[in-house]
Structures are given as C-alpha cells and as structure tokens.
Amino acid sequence: MRVQYAPGRPHRPRDAMLRLPFIALANLFLLLSSLLGAPFRMLAARHRPAYVRFRLTGDPSYRQQRRPRFSLGGGSKPEPSDVTSLERFGEDLRLLAKDARVKGIVLEVEELGLPSAKREALVALLAEFRAAGKRVVAWAVMVDSDSYALMCAADEVLLAPMGRLELVGYAAEATALGEGLSRVGIRGQFVRRGDYKTAPELFTHPEVSDIQRRTVETFLDERYSVLVEAVAAGRKKTAEEVKGLIDVGPFSAQRAKAAGLVDALVSEADLPVHLGLVAAPPAADSKAPAAEEDETELEPLEMYLETVPFPPVKWKRLKRRTRLALVPVSGMIVPGKGNAGGRLATADAVVKGLRAAGRDKRSKAVLLYVNSPGGAAIASEQILEAVQRVAKKKPVLAYMDQVCASAGYMVALGAKEVWSAPHAVVGSIGVFAGKFDTSGLLKLLGIHRTVLTRGANAALLSFSRAFSEGERAALEADVEEMYQSFLGHVAKARGRTKEEIHALAEGRVYSGLRAKDVGLVDRIGGFEEACRHALSLANVTPGDFELKTYGAAERKMSLLRLLMGAAHPQTYAVCPMSWNLGGQEREVLASLADETRWGEWLRQWGRETRD
C-alpha cells in the first residue's frame, strides 16, 4: 500500500500570537544594536579587508551545530577563522560575493579529514564563489593527496617554503592473521554466507584472498581516478602528466613549485605582500630607507563584519522555519543502551531517537544518516522496525556518505528512498558467525579446562575447544536462516526477488555509484540535496529549514562498560572487509580501523553479526 503524505500543517495562529511580543522585543533589541554600532562600522569601513581568511581543518559538520554556553572542559574553542560547518561557510561566501570591495578569500588548509562527499560540496561552494568574479587562494604548510585535490579547486595554490606536498596517491593494507594466531595456539572458527563476506578471513586465512584483493583494488582504482581528474582540471595538465607526477611524489615545496603543482612559495607572514595588500619590503642590498614594519594580517570574517555599516542580522521569525529531523546511526550497531561517541550505535539510543523524531509535529520528514560498517543482527532488525514505524507517519530518507555496510545497509531499508554519496562504501549483504578456539594457547600456558554440558550445543561458543560436527552444523543452519532473512528484507525494500538480490549479495561491496547502477540505492547526491528532497516527499517546499538531531551520540564514554563488553567473546563486530585504505579512505573506513584491536573482536552483542 502506498503511503500518502499530507502537506505540513501550518503553524497555529494562537501560538504565533503568544510568540509575537517576545519576537518583537528580540528584533527591537537587534535593530537597536545594529543602529548603535553603525557609526563605528562606518568609520572602520576604509579598513575593510580585500581578502578574508578562512581556516579549513578537521571535519566540519554539514550544518552549524549549537555550542553550549557553558562547558566543563568540553573540547577546544575554534579559532575565529575556522570553518565550523559547510552551511555557515556557504553563507559567508555568498555574503562576500556581493561586496564589490572584496577581491576574494584565502583558504588555509590544515590536517583535513573530510569524507569525499563533503569535499565535493566544498568544491561546489568555491566554484559558486569564483563564478561571482571572486578569487580563491589556497595556502598550506603540508597537505596530503585529499587536501591537495581540494586546493586544486582554487584560482591559486600556495605552499609555505618549508612545506611539503604528499601527493602519492592511495595505498591499502589488507591483513590476514590466521597464521600468526595459530602460532600462539588460537584458531578462528567462523561460518559465513558468501565468498565475498571476507571479514572472517582476517582471523582464518594465512594470506589475503584474491577476492579481497580485487575488492580493495576496485576501490583504489575509483579513488585514484577521482584524484587524477581533480588535479588535472585544477592544474591544467593531462591525466598522464598527473599520473607521472604522482609516481615521483612526495614533493618538497621547491620540487612542487618546479613541477607546476603549486603557483608560488609564500610564508604565512608574506601572504599580505603576495596578495598586494601591503608594499613589499626593500631588498636587503637596497639603499632605500627601511619603512616602518607593517603588522598587516589577513582578517577572519568577524573582523570583516566590523567594517560593514549594516551587516546581515538574523532576525527572529514570527513563523518558525520548517524542521527536518536528523537521526544518526554512527558506528558499530549493537544492542543495549547509551552511545559511545560515534563508535557504537546502540539500538536503544537510535530507536528512541526515531520515536522522538516521529512524535515531533514540527519535523515534517526524517533524514536517517547512516555511517556504520555493520553490527549485530538483532540490533539492526530492531532499528529497521523502528524506521518502518516512523515511515508510516512521515517520509524517511536514508543517506550515506562514508560507509553503509551490512547491518548499516539493513537499517536503511526502512526508508522511503535510499541516497548515497558517489564514493560511499555500500552493501556487504551477508552474515557470518563464529568464535576463537584457544585450546592450543591454554595448553601452551599449562591451563586445563574441562567443559561440562547439559544439551548437545550448550558449549557452542566456548573458547576452550573447537566446534563439534553437530555444533558447526547448527551454526551453519542458523547463519543460512539469517542470510535468507536478510535477502528477504532487501528484496522487499528494493522491489526485487530474493534470487536477484542474492546475485548482488554474498558480501559484495559497492561504491555509491556502483550501488546505484545495480539498484541498491535510489539516487546519488549530497547531504543538502538529500535534506531538501526529504522535505519535498512531505509536500513541503524546502526553502530555509532547520535541522534537529535526535538520538545523537553521547559525549562521554564509559570505559568500564567497554571493558566489560570486551570480556564476552560470542560475537565479533568487525569490518565488512579486513582492509584499510590510506589517504582519502580514512574518512570512509574510520570506524573500521579498530579491526586490529582485540576489544572489538571479543565483544558480545548476540550470536550472529551482519557485518
């Protein structure tokens, strides 16, 4: 049955009337503040900067996050020039683009860790700014391949004289621990459904399998081609020239300049001189008298606003903005309560977030943001059921920009539409289960254990011995049942037969683009585009809207709880692929890097794991 979504109910007049006095008072205060400050800003107008400085570092959020007024040691405060969100950065660029006295911006790039989707969104914002006739000057001290690809979207690329350009492409390290574990008396015993479900190979194989190798190389090829295309377009070179330069990297600042990968070598102190904002100092052998030292610096946006007589004012609205609910599923999906700072997505926290989003009458639609390598079967089914319940009330759109694999993909199936960024990791439809047989290690240590049971399979998950034939047969039947259930969920959600999904499943992993081609996702797009489309599904005009997060990860993590969880060895929540791509892939597989930590291997969250 097709669910029809009614247009959003308008705000009740009574509520608007009750808010009117407070809105009027707040706006009057804003007006008076703006008028009183105008004379001072007019006096400062002659010092308005021609270039405004922005610092791009870390992983800014898509939308501006409200910071608490009071914090007890809750992280460092961003610098005035820091880009804190793509939303705010876009607003700032559009404001500057309208000012004829502003020539452009200086974008300082430092230690970025952006998903490819955010990088593409930033490139689009810079292209829009440049189309308005403004210049973008990118400057850095040291950048890797990903950061450099972003810098290539600027009009001019500058590097500090002591800097380095780590343009070397991408590398992947696939791991196989089977032989190493056997040397200390540990054997990984796992049952999997699908040759492409390579996660257990990390513990069972002595070498990386050909299937795993081909999977990794497919992602490497795709990411490498994106890098080559970005550098070729930005530096006006052919693809072959770029590939040749990558093969002789990394580069010192001098070599990068000689190769045409950067336009000039400029220290931070000399940026104003390079941009023509101050006169160059006389040469050391010049007889001209030395001018008084000029301490001119590039100013952030807040200093620019102090020179604008009437800067934009965010007036309080009588009519509230349309609200879109955001429910994140970030990290390993596990049963239980609470959340661990994005490392774990507990079923209780996500389900409560979904329920709250469903109850919120102001939220006309829900965006389910999935960034998970997988997790426990029972937890993913709980979340899927909650998504389906909310989807009966209002449209739900699932969006992924990093990794949405196995149980992560399972929870996305309850949405009306599934969207992906072009290079997200998607799929890994399959199931595995197993344990570690530590009997060899116990023998080496002189530890003797006797397993006493009542019931043929009571000691199925005991570490003290290997599976019996009956136990393995029971586990294989259980895994097969779980796999068929997984296929059924996907087939129903995607409008396909189980046979068709099986041909795409068995643990196969796709990029977002390839997932779209085979029908596992509906559309390829960015975060903002997905948000607006979610609202359009509710027949709401997606103009200026606000985003409210439900079920977000808690800031604090219980170390004791994690250690206690690590003491139970019945489920192995590890990555869908036992590999980690360097460079650009650190944002896609950040949560997968824990595959070499014993605590993650030995976590008990149920017996079967879709991951």
Side-chain angles (χ1 to χ4, degrees):
M1 180 179 68
R2 184 178 180 83
V3 179
Q4 298 293 333
Y5 300 101
R9 185 174 59 183
H11 191 64
R12 291 182 294 179
R14 181 183 176 186
D15 294 340
M17 293 302 296
L18 291 175
R19 297 178 66 237
L20 180 59
F22 301 98
I23 297 298
L25 186 62
N27 284 335
L28 178 62
F29 177 78
L30 291 173
L31 176 61
L32 290 175
S33 299
S34 179
L35 292 176
L36 291 174
F40 301 98
R41 291 191 293 268
M42 287 179 181
L43 292 174
R46 62 190 182 93
H47 300 296
R48 186 175 305 170
Y51 283 87
V52 176
R53 179 175 189 157
F54 291 92
R55 178 172 175 263
L56 190 58
T57 183
D59 182 12
S61 60
Y62 283 108
R63 286 252 165 172
Q64 192 68 20
Q65 304 292 320
R66 295 183 62 182
R67 295 181 59 85
R69 293 186 179 182
F70 303 100
S71 177
L72 298 176
S76 59
K77 184 179 180 180
E79 295 184 8
S81 57
D82 281 358
V83 175
T84 54
S85 73
L86 274 63
E87 175 193 30
R88 178 67 59 83
F89 186 51
E91 292 174 353
D92 295 344
L93 291 183
R94 284 186 281 273
L95 173 64
L96 296 173
K98 297 176 183 177
D99 192 336
R101 297 176 64 177
V102 173
K103 295 181 179 180
I105 66 169
V106 174
L107 187 65
E108 178 184 346
V109 178
E110 179 182 339
E111 295 183 356
L112 282 182
L114 293 172
S116 58
K118 285 185 181 177
R119 187 166 53 254
E120 292 173 4
L122 282 168
V123 169
L125 290 176
L126 296 178
E128 179 185 349
F129 185 69
R130 294 173 63 189
K134 306 298 184 182
R135 296 186 73 241
V136 176
V137 179
W139 178 86
V141 176
M142 186 171 70
V143 288
D144 59 12
S145 297
D146 286 338
S147 301
Y148 180 67
L150 174 62
M151 294 179 69
C152 286
D155 295 282
E156 189 175 16
V157 178
L158 307 178
L159 202 61
M162 80 293 289
R164 286 185 62 80
L165 172 57
E166 303 290 333
L167 181 63
V168 293
Y170 303 111
E173 293 185 358
T175 305
L177 301 175
E179 183 177 351
L181 292 175
S182 66
R183 291 182 179 180
V184 294
I186 300 175
R187 289 192 303 155
Q189 293 194 307
F190 292 89
V191 174
R192 65 178 178 178
R193 188 60 173 84
D195 291 338
Y196 292 83
K197 198 68 175 178
T198 58
E201 294 181 2
L202 174 66
F203 312 110
T204 59
H205 283 40
E207 295 181 353
V208 176
S209 67
D210 290 338
I211 289 177
Q212 191 174 4
R213 183 190 301 274
R214 291 196 301 269
T215 301
V216 176
E217 288 181 342
T218 299
F219 279 90
L220 281 175
D221 289 341
E222 191 171 302
R223 296 326 195 252
Y224 181 72
S225 65
V226 171
L227 173 64
V228 170
E229 182 180 347
V231 176
R235 304 308 301 169
K236 303 296 187 295
K237 297 180 180 294
T238 66
E240 292 306 315
E241 288 175 328
V242 173
K243 291 177 182 178
L245 289 169
I246 291 174
D247 288 343
V248 295
F251 297 85
S252 66
Q254 290 73 22
R255 286 186 61 222
K257 173 66 169 60
L261 293 172
V262 300
D263 296 295
L265 305 183
V266 184
S267 67
E268 184 175 7
D270 289 338
L271 281 173
V273 176
H274 178 81
L275 297 173
L277 304 180
V278 295
D285 57 351
S286 173
K287 297 181 179 180
E292 184 179 346
E293 187 176 355
D294 195 333
E295 295 294 334
T296 300
E297 294 184 1
L298 294 170
E299 302 291 357
L301 186 79
E302 65 179 27
M303 299 301 294
Y304 162 82
L305 293 176
E306 292 181 2
T307 67
V308 178
F310 297 100
V313 178
K314 292 189 175 181
W315 304 105
K316 301 298 181 181
R317 300 165 175 260
L318 178 60
K319 184 179 180 180
R320 292 171 174 171
R321 292 186 297 171
T322 301
R323 175 182 290 174
L324 174 66
L326 173 68
V327 180
V329 183
S330 300
M332 204 72 67
I333 298 173
V334 296
K337 298 182 178 181
N339 243 331
R343 289 289 186 181
L344 302 176
T346 61
D348 181 75
V350 177
V351 169
K352 284 183 177 179
L354 286 165
R355 290 173 180 168
R359 289 192 301 265
D360 183 5
K361 294 181 179 179
R362 282 192 58 201
S363 296
K364 305 306 178 184
V366 178
L367 186 80
L368 185 72
Y369 172 74
V370 184
N371 177 23
S372 172
I378 188 171
S380 62
E381 299 236 20
Q382 282 181 279
I383 297 174
L384 173 61
E385 184 182 11
V387 174
Q388 292 170 336
R389 288 201 304 270
V390 175
K392 294 178 180 179
K393 301 178 181 179
K394 57 186 68 174
V396 179
L397 187 147
Y399 181 72
M400 56 205 72
D401 65 352
Q402 298 185 53
V403 56
C404 180
S406 209
Y409 183 71
M410 161 72 79
V411 303
L413 295 174
K416 181 178 178 65
E417 292 187 17
V418 178
W419 282 42
S420 174
H423 307 297
V425 178
V426 184
S428 191
I429 302 170
V431 182
F432 76 91
K435 68 174 183 179
F436 290 106
D437 171 17
T438 63
S439 58
L441 177 61
L442 295 176
K443 184 177 180 179
L444 289 173
L445 297 175
I447 298 174
H448 302 279
R449 274 191 169 184
T450 301
V451 180
L452 306 175
T453 66
R454 293 298 182 272
N457 298 330
L460 176 72
L461 297 175
S462 170
F463 274 19
S464 301
R465 60 173 176 77
F467 287 127
S468 67
E469 292 184 5
E471 289 170 343
R472 177 172 287 277
L475 189 60
E476 288 176 345
D478 210 3
V479 166
E480 179 63 24
E481 182 180 353
M482 297 298 296
Y483 178 66
Q484 294 301 324
S485 175
F486 201 166
L487 292 180
H489 284 299
V490 181
K492 181 179 179 180
R494 306 307 302 167
R496 311 277 285 275
T497 65
K498 289 177 65 174
E499 290 72 23
E500 290 173 326
I501 298 300
H502 172 68
L504 305 173
E506 294 192 287
R508 291 176 176 86
V509 183
Y510 305 86
S511 67
L513 291 169
R514 287 182 282 127
K516 169 65 170 60
D517 290 340
V518 299
L520 293 180
V521 301
D522 296 296
R523 288 180 61 175
I524 300 296
F527 180 82
E528 288 292 327
E529 185 184 1
C531 289
R532 297 183 184 281
H533 186 73
L535 289 171
S536 70
L537 292 176
N539 297 323
V540 175
T541 302
D544 186 16
F545 67 94
E546 68 178 45
L547 204 63
K548 183 171 182 179
T549 303
Y550 294 90
E554 297 174 357
R555 292 186 177 274
K556 60 183 179 179
M557 180 191 305
S558 170
L559 179 61
L560 177 61
R561 179 174 180 270
L562 291 179
L563 291 175
M564 290 299 292
H568 299 278
Q570 295 180 358
T571 291
Y572 310 99
V574 295
C575 62
M577 297 163 292
S578 305
W579 48 273
N580 181 34
L581 289 173
Q584 183 179 7
E585 289 312 296
R586 64 173 173 265
E587 80 278 354
V588 177
L589 300 174
S591 60
L592 309 187
D594 285 339
E595 66 184 40
T596 58
R597 300 181 185 179
W598 283 95
E600 291 296 320
W601 296 352
L602 305 180
R603 193 179 308 280
Q604 175 196 6
W605 294 110
R607 199 169 67 187
E608 292 83 22
T609 299
R610 287 194 185 96
D611 183 87

